[in-house]
Amino acid sequence: FFSSCPEVELETVTVNVTIQDFVADVVSELFFHNTQQVSKETMFIFPVDSDTVVHTFYATMGDTRIEAVLWEKEEAQQLCKATSGMENLRYLQDQWDLWGPVFACFLGTLPPNREVAVSLCYVQELPMQPDGAAQFCWPRELFPWRQYLSEVSSFTFSHLFHAAGWISSEEETSKNLHFSICLKSAHGVSHIAVNSSHTPLQYTTPDQTSAEVSLRLPPWMQDDLNLLVYYRGSHTLSAVVERRDPKAPPGSLLGDPVVMVTLMPSIPEVEPGPGHLGEFLFLMDCSLFQDAQLPQLSSAHPSFCLQNTLLFLLKSLPLGCYFNIYSFGATFKTFYPQSVEYTQESMDNALGRVSAICPDLGGCDLLGLLRSIYSTPLLHGHSRQLFIFIQRKISGEEEAVMAEVYRYRDHHRCFCFPTNRCDSFNLSHAMALETKGECVCIHSRMDMTSEAMKCLQRALQPLASGISLHWELPPGLEVSMIRKAPEMIFQGHQSSVYAQIHGQAQDPEVGEGAVTFQYHVGSQSFDYTLRFSLSPPADNRLPVHRMAMMHLLWKLAWEATSRTEKDIRHSAVKSSLRLGVLSPFTSTVAVRMKQRDAWHRDALPPDSSMFFSPSSNLVPCQLLWLRGFRPTWFKSTKFWMVQKCQSFLETLGRKAPDTEALTQLSAPCKGKEKLLSKAFSKLVALQKANGSWALTAALASALGLSKADVEGQGPSKDVQPTAWATVLALVWLHQYKWKVSWSELLEAKACRWLQDQAEVQLDECLEAANSLLGCFVEPTIFRI
């Protein structure tokens, strides 16, 4: 992400990564070269996310150095007014292909055949894979590239992947790549998996708690580097303790040890208890309801799809959960003042009101709606999950929306469904990524109902709740939480908490502490205890302190109201300037200076930002929120790498058979599919909130039968009519499961209801249903 012109080649890369459990400390130096005979305007753009702290950046061209420096926000705003070229950043926000937060710095003109060296340092929380591995990624654009001899390949790759440069051979690439990785964990390092040629894993301590590995070559072709680190023992709990900065006063964040605890609960497959079924909020863009009253409405129309989707979603919710429905346009409306319990009455009421939603093609006040939802207290024990159906652009409020989502990211999860014409696809993806949910772009050939039901299945998976941490420290020491544990953690996810250790141990010989992690899954309780050293090796780079500082600053930005808190905030800002951690109270401006001045700058105290006056040679450099000029897709890495395949999906969506013969051949199939879809919708509409069906003429009609057949060919008179009707509907659903796979949740509700009924002759009912429907469904359908 260095320059839009491939003539500026990335020649040499030196990267040193230290990974300790689930935090990475990255130090990189990148050497770029202008191979052309003309000067090039250059800029450096590096995508970041909410779990990444870029704390050091400078670039060197000849005897000139450009350094990014933090200022207090008001002071930085004044400096930016005196900086020429700031309008280029505003232009960049709307014209660049990337979307989301990036670190951007204009480096000016790079003369012909000249080199610029870029130094970039950051720390980052690493995500955990389902198998417990810590995942580290490095973008493919920041590797020197090998040249493949085929001219056609060279042409293709340079256009598809915007390669930073081409060098002559793999041998030369290996000489220009210096990528070393140091791994540390008190659990012990087990093994690694890397999608690149690398040296064997070398242990540097007898107990295998430390190891090293180096890359030999970049990843193959267009891949980003993807490194997975596996640790020994249990993956449920890990702790990284970092010593205090000896230069900082005790009691301050830097002056005390900090511990990062990563919680990775093991969640078995259990039925959630009635008090832990979740709160499901459905947010619907009113523009999806335009022309909903037209009689010629086709099944492919988005308003019909959305109404059908809501029918299946509401019918699939479990009894005892809570739900609410919101519609948003220029304003937003809510079905209920607060979420209501899911009952037969509330479900019927909600379905009746869905059809009355009026189209609204005005503004799109998603920000106001989210703020209203977030201001509503969480229901104890119920996970909050948002299903957002959207088609319109959020008018210039993307950054504010993401700030709200980030603030409450530990309290909820977002499942987003933008249409292929949606201008807010990127925002939808970012919301899902931030809250560990999912984003599915609905194009014309996709079934909105199917995709939404898949997400609901995921949302109904068991989770860890009632989370608590209990600390055991030597007398004289106590813990102050910087980032608390969330109320719940979803299956397959982790959460990192940070704590500051205060005080002075009464017995210096006691060098260990312990933390106990407790949580519930359904009615089961779990607890894990981990002991950790209070005297770890010194780390002058302070990666854990930097991450803790970032969370502290955001916390203070949201909570600082009293005079005391503002005093604390002022002290924290001074620390952020020292650590180079960007915060809501600070901004970045770069300074251009001669190398001799840079040497003097390095010798100054960290908080002496006023060394540079507004008359200095200031350079445009900020953390920007890029809006992009077209929807793009992000890879599931911690970097928001862009892969342009949205247009490909749109092209697929527009393709249709254009031969008359093919149309005629497919017409009968399409007719059967429409009939089957209508039958499904009718059948689902008749299902009760508890999962059962009543024995009615409407049910018989939906199944293509007469009520006389249903009553006359049923089981014995001893079987309850509702039980017989439920088995009959369940068998019909299961018979067509190959066609509508998302009926799984509806079947599960029916099975649970049948299992709760006393003395139901399931074998007799199943035999009668198979005979009447002309099929053969085995007893395993009842899941007993």
Side-chain angles (χ1 to χ4, degrees):
F1 298 122
F2 178 74
S3 171
S4 59
C5 54
E7 295 86 0
V8 179
E9 295 182 355
L10 177 56
E11 289 193 333
T12 305
V13 172
T14 300
V15 182
N16 294 298
V17 184
T18 300
I19 296 176
Q20 187 164 8
D21 286 1
F22 290 89
V23 63
D25 182 17
V26 182
V27 179
S28 63
E29 192 166 19
L30 315 167
F31 294 88
F32 296 88
H33 185 241
N34 181 8
T35 61
Q36 300 299 298
Q37 298 305 310
V38 294
S39 298
K40 293 291 182 181
E41 289 294 321
T42 57
M43 57 188 171
F44 187 86
I45 299 175
F46 188 77
V48 296
D49 60 20
S50 58
D51 291 327
T52 301
V53 175
V54 176
H55 58 84
T56 302
F57 173 84
Y58 58 87
T60 305
M61 285 189 282
D63 65 346
T64 300
R65 170 161 142 162
I66 296 174
E67 181 181 357
V69 185
L70 284 184
W71 272 271
E72 289 186 340
K73 183 154 286 185
E74 294 79 7
E75 182 181 330
Q77 289 173 348
Q78 295 299 318
L79 291 173
C80 287
K81 290 179 181 179
T83 304
S84 61
M86 288 299 293
E87 64 278 1
N88 292 332
L89 291 183
R90 306 293 172 260
Y91 176 80
L92 176 66
Q93 281 184 298
D94 294 310
Q95 295 300 316
W96 198 259
D97 284 356
L98 289 174
W99 190 94
V102 297
F103 174 84
C105 185
F106 279 90
L107 304 182
T109 302
L110 183 61
N113 202 33
R114 293 288 293 276
E115 187 180 74
V116 56
V118 171
S119 293
L120 174 74
C121 304
Y122 64 91
V123 295
Q124 182 182 63
E125 286 183 16
L126 299 181
M128 182 189 72
Q129 296 301 293
D131 59 2
Q135 181 187 32
F136 172 78
C137 297
W138 179 261
R140 64 178 182 269
E141 285 84 353
L142 297 185
F143 278 112
W145 277 73
R146 300 175 291 230
Q147 179 176 356
Y148 296 89
L149 299 179
S150 168
E151 294 182 4
V152 175
S153 297
S154 176
F155 175 82
T156 303
F157 293 143
S158 65
H159 281 72
L160 285 180
F161 307 124
H162 304 286
W166 300 91
I167 50 183
S168 59
S169 66
E170 291 191 357
E171 290 76 9
E172 189 172 347
T173 301
S174 63
K175 293 178 182 177
N176 294 348
L177 175 65
H178 311 278
F179 205 114
S180 61
I181 304 162
C182 177
L183 308 172
K184 299 178 182 179
S185 176
H187 292 282
V189 179
S190 173
H191 61 283
I192 62 171
V194 195
N195 62 337
S196 175
S197 174
H198 60 89
T199 61
L201 188 67
Q202 296 289 329
Y203 291 104
T204 56
T205 54
D207 57 3
Q208 299 187 344
T209 57
S210 180
E212 292 179 349
V213 67
S214 297
L215 299 188
R216 288 194 176 113
L217 289 171
W220 174 252
M221 306 290 276
Q222 73 271 24
D223 291 340
D224 303 326
L225 173 70
N226 190 26
L227 168 69
L228 300 179
V229 186
Y230 294 86
Y231 302 112
R232 301 189 188 280
S234 170
H235 299 144
T236 305
L237 193 61
S238 76
V240 178
V241 181
E242 190 171 84
R243 289 192 179 190
R244 62 181 292 267
D245 182 354
K247 301 176 184 177
S252 65
L253 180 63
L254 289 175
D256 283 336
V258 168
V259 57
M260 169 186 173
V261 179
T262 304
L263 313 175
M264 303 157 282
S266 176
I267 302 177
E269 292 289 342
V270 298
E271 288 290 336
H276 299 85
L277 292 171
E279 179 190 21
F280 301 91
L281 307 180
F282 304 100
L283 286 61
M284 301 177 297
D285 184 344
C286 288
S287 69
L288 288 167
F289 286 86
Q290 55 184 317
D291 301 328
Q293 284 73 34
L294 294 180
Q296 68 272 23
L297 186 66
S298 72
S299 61
H301 195 281
S303 62
F304 179 87
C305 293
L306 184 53
Q307 291 188 34
N308 208 43
T309 298
L310 285 170
L311 166 67
F312 278 81
L313 287 171
L314 287 173
K315 289 288 184 175
S316 300
L317 293 178
L319 278 176
C321 75
Y322 285 77
F323 78 100
N324 206 344
I325 299 178
Y326 302 83
S327 59
F328 62 93
T331 59
F332 62 87
K333 298 178 182 178
T334 176
F335 278 25
Y336 309 104
Q338 57 187 14
S339 295
V340 296
E341 186 177 355
Y342 180 76
T343 62
Q344 184 66 43
E345 181 182 2
S346 62
M347 182 193 73
D348 288 341
N349 178 272
L351 287 172
R353 297 177 69 175
V354 167
S355 59
I357 295 177
C358 297
D360 182 347
L361 303 180
C364 192
D365 188 21
L366 179 60
L367 177 60
L369 174 53
L370 290 176
R371 284 174 172 167
S372 175
I373 291 173
Y374 294 153
S375 66
T376 308
L378 292 171
L379 298 171
H380 179 68
H382 291 270
S383 59
R384 174 172 287 177
Q385 309 199 62
L386 276 58
F387 286 68
I388 305 174
F389 300 88
I390 188 168
Q391 182 167 260
R392 286 175 296 181
K393 183 176 178 62
I394 311 300
S395 306
E397 296 180 327
E398 295 95 338
E399 190 170 359
V401 167
M402 284 308 301
E404 290 294 313
V405 171
Y406 173 76
R407 179 177 182 178
Y408 296 98
R409 65 175 180 163
D410 289 333
H411 299 160
H412 75 298
R413 185 160 59 167
C414 293
F415 295 93
C416 300
F417 307 91
T419 66
N420 65 326
R421 295 184 297 274
C422 178
D423 291 328
S424 295
F425 170 79
N426 295 323
L427 177 65
S428 299
H429 194 284
M431 292 169 65
L433 184 69
E434 192 63 59
T435 59
K436 300 177 181 177
E438 190 168 343
C439 177
V440 181
C441 182
I442 307 297
H443 57 82
S444 58
R445 287 298 182 90
M446 289 179 67
D447 189 335
M448 179 188 291
T449 304
S450 174
E451 297 303 322
M453 292 295 286
K454 289 176 186 176
C455 289
L456 181 59
Q457 282 185 306
R458 182 179 167 193
L460 288 171
Q461 289 176 345
L463 51 82
S465 61
I467 294 170
S468 63
L469 291 179
H470 302 278
W471 300 86
E472 180 185 333
L473 295 176
L477 297 180
E478 60 181 15
V479 162
S480 174
M481 297 303 298
I482 296 171
R483 186 188 185 196
K484 297 180 180 179
E487 292 197 5
M488 55 198 67
I489 300 177
F490 298 102
Q491 192 173 52
H493 294 153
Q494 93 235 39
S495 181
S496 294
V497 302
Y498 294 84
Q500 184 176 351
I501 302 177
H502 298 282
Q504 184 70 39
Q506 295 178 6
D507 184 359
E509 298 298 322
V510 181
E512 274 195 341
V515 60
T516 299
F517 173 33
Q518 296 180 332
Y519 63 92
H520 302 279
V521 179
S523 60
Q524 300 182 32
S525 298
F526 300 85
D527 64 87
Y528 296 87
T529 299
L530 176 69
R531 305 200 67 81
F532 53 84
S533 171
L534 292 171
S535 302
D539 188 340
N540 297 329
R541 297 185 52 77
L542 302 173
V544 177
H545 277 80
R546 293 184 198 276
M547 294 302 305
M549 177 62 70
M550 180 192 72
H551 290 292
L552 175 62
L553 291 169
W554 277 100
K555 175 183 174 183
L556 291 173
W558 296 321
E559 298 177 357
T561 53
S562 69
R563 182 182 182 88
T564 302
E565 287 172 334
K566 289 180 180 179
D567 291 342
I568 296 173
R569 180 183 70 175
H570 178 70
S571 174
V573 168
K574 290 182 65 176
S575 297
S576 79
L577 295 178
R578 178 168 188 165
L579 285 175
V581 177
L582 188 65
S583 74
F585 315 111
T586 53
S587 292
T588 306
V589 176
V591 182
R592 181 184 290 110
M593 50 192 152
K594 298 299 181 182
Q595 284 285 48
R596 61 178 182 274
D597 297 326
W599 184 85
H600 289 297
R601 156 69 176 153
D602 291 340
L604 291 172
D607 57 352
S608 57
S609 59
M610 285 311 295
F611 169 71
F612 305 107
S613 67
S615 60
S616 298
N617 193 0
L618 302 178
V619 176
C621 177
Q622 284 186 359
L623 183 70
L624 288 179
W625 189 275
L626 301 188
R627 292 187 280 268
F629 61 81
R630 58 171 297 142
T632 51
W633 287 71
F634 297 108
K635 286 191 172 183
S636 56
T637 67
K638 295 306 289 180
F639 299 100
W640 288 0
M641 303 304 150
V642 175
Q643 183 179 8
K644 299 181 186 177
C645 58
Q646 178 69 8
S647 59
F648 176 66
L649 285 176
E650 293 172 355
T651 303
L652 284 180
R654 288 195 297 268
K655 285 185 178 178
D658 56 359
T659 63
E660 184 177 353
L662 186 57
T663 302
Q664 291 175 350
L665 284 171
S666 63
C669 295
K670 290 181 179 178
K672 291 180 181 178
E673 287 181 4
K674 286 184 178 180
L675 289 174
L676 185 60
S677 178
K678 288 181 179 179
F680 257 98
S681 297
K682 288 180 180 179
L683 184 63
V684 172
L686 295 171
Q687 189 178 25
K688 303 295 184 182
N690 62 9
S692 68
W693 277 267
L695 190 61
T696 63
L699 174 65
S701 175
L703 299 177
L705 304 170
S706 67
K707 189 176 181 184
D709 288 337
V710 172
E711 292 177 341
Q713 300 183 40
S716 65
K717 301 295 183 181
D718 297 334
V719 176
Q720 299 177 13
T722 303
W724 162 233
T726 302
V727 171
L728 192 61
L730 178 61
V731 170
W732 191 94
L733 279 176
H734 195 78
Q735 180 184 197
Y736 292 104
K737 189 174 181 179
W738 61 273
K739 191 65 181 174
V740 186
S741 59
W742 32 266
S743 62
E744 176 73 23
L745 292 176
L746 303 173
E747 291 184 36
K749 283 183 73 171
C751 288
R752 282 195 296 270
W753 183 85
L754 287 170
Q755 291 167 10
D756 291 339
Q757 307 309 303
E759 300 179 358
V760 175
Q761 302 298 322
L762 292 179
D763 290 341
E764 183 183 351
C765 291
L766 179 60
E767 183 179 355
N770 278 328
S771 176
L772 184 58
L773 295 173
C775 61
F776 182 73
V777 174
E778 297 187 1
T780 52
I781 186 179
F782 299 120
R783 310 174 188 194
I784 296 177

